[in-house]
């Protein structure tokens, strides 16, 4: 990326409370690695969370989801506003005078406006505005990756509602039908956004349409495990379709995303076991996600990106992993111990059986 721009994992949906929404892609744009990573995550998450939803009732299901997503999210907000923010504010301004005020764009607003997962304030004052990414978006951005969590939570609520109304057990065919419909609408949005918005107000949010479609594609695979063949030849063909839609003729948002979903799930179950040894007992994935962007911005502010891309990526990965390890052992793992207390007490945990076999087992799995 130009000038080793950090943190381009799709970029924030909105870079500041007073700025308009920024589209995920523009018409005709091609997907990047970060783009595919986020979409692949929603596929895997849909698969795992559907299995959880089928094993508990709504209260137990939501209790586990709250424990999994909110404590670590709130921690990274506090780390950003109370730890990282004051440090760099003092570096830029020479003192902390005015930092903890109630002025718009300050740390208090950062905590309050973002606490419900909907990111309304991406930055604090002018912090990180002179980094390559800050110059690109012309705004202060501390942790642009967090915007996807709002949509992840909405997908949890949708799946919980489907469970309440018996869809997951008695009318599961509706899930792939809705997933396909949203995929088509997401593709149509490229050519005729006004037409899609006119169908229903909520369809105007292209982020919601596309990410929910992918989440439900993963959920459909979980609902029909015996009808999803895990065939290497099919995976190779899907990979060819994915590559073709990305680099040749277009059509990624219609057929490429479905090919990507199949390749992702195939890899999750057919990749060598040794690749899954790390993190099999301790799930650092969520911590890596919520700290990765912040760490990259910190390193960019310190000038690490000038050392070259390999050194920058290496430093970012090492520090992010350390943050994720601390987040898991200090906050996430402790919060998950409460799953058998309060509303979650007494509900059966997920029994994994049938096909596909029980990998992956990340923190999105039903027993977490």
């Amino acid at each position: 990326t130009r000038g080793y721009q950090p943190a381009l994992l799709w970029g924030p949906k909105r870079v500041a409370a007073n700025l308009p929404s920024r589209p995920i892609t523009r018409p005709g744009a091609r997907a990047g690695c970060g783009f595919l990573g986020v979409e692949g995550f929603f596929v895997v998450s849909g698969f795992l969370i559907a299995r959880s939803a089928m094993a508990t009732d709504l209260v137990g299901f939501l209790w586990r989801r709250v424990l999994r997503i909110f404590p670590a999210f709130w921690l990274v907000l506090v780390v950003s506003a109370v730890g990282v923010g004051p440090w760099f504010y003092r570096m830029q301004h020479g003192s902390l005078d005015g930092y903890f005020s109630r002025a718009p764009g300050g740390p208090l607003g950062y905590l309050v406006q973002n606490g419900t997962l909907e990111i309304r304030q991406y930055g604090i004052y002018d912090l990180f505005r002179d980094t390559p990414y800050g110059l690109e978006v012309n705004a202060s951005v501390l942790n642009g990756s967090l915007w996807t969590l709002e949509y992840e939570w909405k997908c949890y609520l949708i799946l919980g509602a489907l469970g309440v109304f018996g869809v997951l057990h008695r009318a599961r065919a509706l899930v792939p039908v809705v997933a396909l419909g949203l995929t088509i609408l997401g593709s149509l949005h490229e050519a005729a956004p006004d037409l899609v918005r006119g169908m229903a107000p909520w369809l105007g949010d292209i982020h919601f349409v596309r990410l929910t479609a992918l989440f439900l594609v993963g959920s459909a695979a979980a609902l029909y495990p015996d009808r999803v063949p895990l065939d290497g030849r099919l995976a190779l063909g899907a990979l060819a379709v994915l590559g073709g839609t990305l680099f040749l003729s277009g059509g990624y948002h219609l057929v490429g995303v479905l090919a990507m979903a199949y390749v992702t799930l195939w890899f999750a179950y057919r990749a060598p076991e040794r690749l899954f040894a790390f993190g099999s007992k301790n799930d650092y994935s969520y911590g890596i996600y919520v700290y990765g962007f912040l760490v990259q911005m910190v390193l960019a502010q310190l000038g690490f990106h000038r050392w070259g891309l390999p050194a920058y990526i290496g430093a970012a990965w090492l520090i992010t992993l350390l943050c994720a390890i601390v987040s898991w052992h200090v906050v996430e793992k402790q919060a998950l111990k409460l799953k058998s207390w309060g509303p979650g007490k007494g509900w059966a945990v997920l029994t994994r059986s049938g096909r596909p076999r029980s990998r992956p087992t990340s923190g999105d799995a039903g027993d977490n």
Side-chain angles (χ1 to χ4, degrees):
T1 57
R2 183 177 60 196
Y4 304 134
Q5 294 179 19
L8 293 177
L9 296 177
W10 235 359
K13 181 185 67 171
R14 292 181 292 270
V15 297
N18 59 341
L19 294 180
S21 298
R22 302 176 66 86
I24 293 177
T25 58
R26 296 175 178 82
R30 293 173 178 171
C33 292
F35 181 98
L36 294 174
V38 172
E39 294 201 327
F41 166 79
F42 271 79
V43 173
V44 174
S45 182
F47 181 86
L48 294 169
I49 300 303
R51 295 172 63 156
S52 175
M54 289 187 290
T56 62
D57 69 7
L58 180 62
V59 177
F61 170 75
L62 291 180
W63 175 243
R64 287 171 170 79
R65 304 278 58 82
V66 167
L67 292 177
R68 189 67 189 96
I69 198 169
F70 277 97
F73 170 74
W74 286 331
L75 176 63
V76 77
L77 291 183
V78 172
V79 168
S80 301
V82 182
V84 173
W87 179 271
F88 284 96
Y89 185 88
R90 184 171 182 176
M91 287 179 59
Q92 293 178 213
H93 299 275
S95 72
L96 289 177
D97 292 346
Y99 179 80
F100 290 104
S101 70
R102 296 177 177 268
L108 180 60
Y110 185 83
L111 294 173
V112 173
Q113 294 199 58
N114 299 336
T116 61
L117 294 179
E118 182 179 359
I119 308 302
R120 299 184 180 94
Q121 180 181 323
Y122 278 93
I124 296 178
Y125 300 130
D126 59 348
L127 296 181
F128 301 152
R129 192 158 186 162
D130 57 350
T131 62
Y133 187 82
L135 294 172
E136 178 73 14
V137 300
N138 192 30
S140 168
V141 180
L142 270 68
N143 202 335
S145 296
L146 297 182
W147 71 268
T148 63
L149 299 180
E150 171 193 352
Y151 294 97
E152 178 77 2
W153 179 252
K154 289 178 179 178
C155 289
Y156 293 168
L157 297 179
I158 290 172
L159 209 55
L162 293 178
V164 167
F165 290 104
V167 172
L168 301 182
H169 293 283
R170 296 189 295 274
R172 57 181 180 168
L174 287 176
V175 176
V177 169
V178 174
L180 180 60
L182 289 177
T183 300
I184 294 173
L185 289 175
S187 178
L188 182 60
H189 202 285
E190 289 288 308
D194 292 336
L195 175 63
V196 176
R197 293 189 192 100
M199 296 179 184
W202 56 272
L203 291 176
D205 188 347
I206 186 59
H207 309 278
F208 178 78
V209 174
R210 288 183 181 160
L211 296 180
T212 302
L214 289 162
F215 188 91
L216 292 179
V217 166
S219 299
L223 295 175
Y224 292 93
D226 296 323
R227 300 187 185 182
V228 180
L230 295 175
D231 191 307
R233 294 166 296 181
L234 291 177
L236 188 61
L239 188 61
V241 171
L242 174 60
T245 58
L246 286 175
F247 301 109
L248 298 177
S249 61
Y252 170 77
H253 292 298
L254 183 59
V255 295
V257 290
L258 300 178
M260 179 275 298
Y262 182 83
V263 171
T264 300
L265 292 175
W266 177 88
F267 180 80
Y269 283 95
R270 291 293 187 245
E273 292 283 347
R274 61 180 178 272
L275 294 180
F276 296 88
F278 180 77
S280 60
K281 294 183 179 180
N282 298 300
D283 180 18
Y284 305 132
S285 60
Y286 186 42
I288 289 173
Y289 186 76
V290 297
Y291 282 96
F293 199 113
L294 177 64
V295 169
Q296 291 177 75
M297 295 302 286
V298 167
L299 292 178
Q301 184 65 57
L302 294 174
F304 275 59
H305 60 291
R306 299 189 183 94
W307 293 9
L309 188 59
Y312 175 77
I313 291 178
W317 260 109
L318 177 60
I319 298 173
T320 298
L321 179 59
L322 292 175
C323 292
I325 291 173
V326 173
S327 176
W328 168 254
H329 289 284
V330 175
V331 177
E332 299 169 55
K333 188 175 182 179
Q334 307 309 315
L336 291 175
K337 291 180 180 179
L338 300 176
K339 65 185 180 182
S340 298
W341 298 69
K345 187 176 182 179
W347 278 279
V349 298
L350 180 63
T351 300
R352 297 182 178 91
S353 60
R355 196 170 153 233
R357 67 182 189 273
S358 60
R359 197 207 292 170
T361 57
S362 78
D364 278 330
D367 58 352
N368 281 342

